[in-house]
Amino acid sequence: MAADRILNWTPTAVVFDCDGTLMDTERHWQEARELVLRRYGVALDADFAERAKGMHYTECGRLLAETAGRPELTEEMTGRLLGCFRALVADNPVTTQGAPEFVALTHEFAPLAVASNCPRDVVETCLDTAGLLPYFGHISVPGTGVRPKPHPDVYLTAVRESGAEPTDCLAIEDSLCGIRSAVRAGMRVLGVGPHPDEESLALVDLWVPSLDDPRLLAWAKSRVLPEVAR
């Protein structure tokens, strides 16, 4: 890691992942996966959650079908997975620790965007319910010609729509899948979460346990002050 590449730098734009980074929804994905597999008489193994973290829901549906030994049911299980997730999020959309304050601070000195593997309506609904949607000028999700993470496409699209170059922008991620995507896009990367894996730590410029980490808040506030002074 090279913390100075972030803490002594002002990005032209900041692009956030959504699930697990801004919104505490990884537990909803985990529960949805468990509910779908349980319907087919299968229990999740111990490391399934880590393997599926950050994965596009269509890929996760395929993985569920393979785990259940029913690859022919991939489409059906993918639909059930997304339906369960939508219902769980609607019941309890909660931000991650420190997300509202940090988003408000970064919005003071850089345009913000979201790059997510989730469907657009899920991202927008989550952020709107949390009061965060107005801060983001662009939301990039997989679609026609835009491949999901770990491909770089969603990040490259978010950066382009923000009018910036990838090397001038910061990506904020909680999963290895998303970190790989941002690195492949050529961005500096801030990792966030309580339990980083070794590859994630090796790839990011800085890792913090949450978005209210004192180093991170001090950095964001120091970026705002020069703008105010001008």
Side-chain angles (χ1 to χ4, degrees):
M1 292 191 293
D4 286 350
R5 279 172 48 84
I6 291 178
L7 298 180
N8 292 327
W9 170 68
T10 302
T12 301
V14 181
V15 185
F16 290 79
D17 169 54
C18 186
D19 281 343
T21 300
L22 291 171
M23 303 300 299
D24 186 15
T25 47
E26 279 300 326
R27 56 200 171 100
H28 296 326
W29 279 117
Q30 174 69 1
E31 185 175 354
R33 292 188 288 257
E34 290 176 354
L35 288 171
V36 170
L37 280 182
R38 193 180 306 153
R39 184 182 182 92
Y40 296 89
V42 179
L44 289 179
D45 57 49
D47 67 344
F48 188 96
E50 197 57 40
R51 285 187 287 135
K53 189 175 182 180
M55 186 180 283
H56 189 248
Y57 72 93
T58 56
E59 286 299 302
C60 191
R62 178 188 56 77
L63 187 59
L64 287 171
E66 290 176 355
T67 301
R70 303 291 300 276
E72 73 279 8
L73 297 181
T74 293
E75 185 175 349
E76 176 182 315
M77 294 179 77
T78 300
R80 291 189 186 281
L81 173 67
L82 188 55
C84 286
F85 176 73
R86 287 185 196 274
L88 291 167
V89 168
D91 286 342
N92 189 21
V94 179
T95 59
T96 58
Q97 184 176 324
E101 181 182 2
F102 185 69
V103 166
L105 279 171
T106 53
H107 184 259
E108 291 294 318
F109 65 85
L112 307 184
V114 170
S116 174
N117 265 353
C118 273
R120 181 178 299 274
D121 67 296
V122 173
V123 175
E124 291 181 346
T125 298
C126 284
L127 295 177
D128 187 42
T129 303
L132 297 179
L133 187 59
Y135 290 104
F136 295 96
H138 304 282
I139 294 175
S140 174
V141 299
T144 304
V146 180
R147 298 168 296 176
K149 303 172 188 178
H151 296 288
D153 302 30
V154 287
Y155 274 109
L156 290 173
T157 300
V159 167
R160 183 177 66 250
E161 291 176 342
S162 298
E165 294 295 326
T167 53
D168 297 327
C169 296
L170 175 65
I172 304 181
E173 270 286 354
D174 75 306
S175 73
L176 177 56
C177 178
I179 290 166
R180 287 171 172 166
S181 173
V183 169
R184 289 167 183 170
M187 303 170 70
R188 301 189 198 191
V189 185
L190 170 71
V192 58
H195 305 296
D197 60 88
E198 290 185 7
E199 184 177 349
S200 293
L201 284 175
L203 289 172
V204 301
D205 296 286
L206 173 66
W207 189 281
V208 294
S210 65
L211 292 176
D212 61 358
D213 182 88
R215 293 169 298 167
L216 201 56
L217 293 179
W219 168 76
K221 290 172 182 176
S222 73
R223 301 304 100 182
V224 172
L225 291 175
E227 297 294 327
V228 171
R230 284 202 292 270

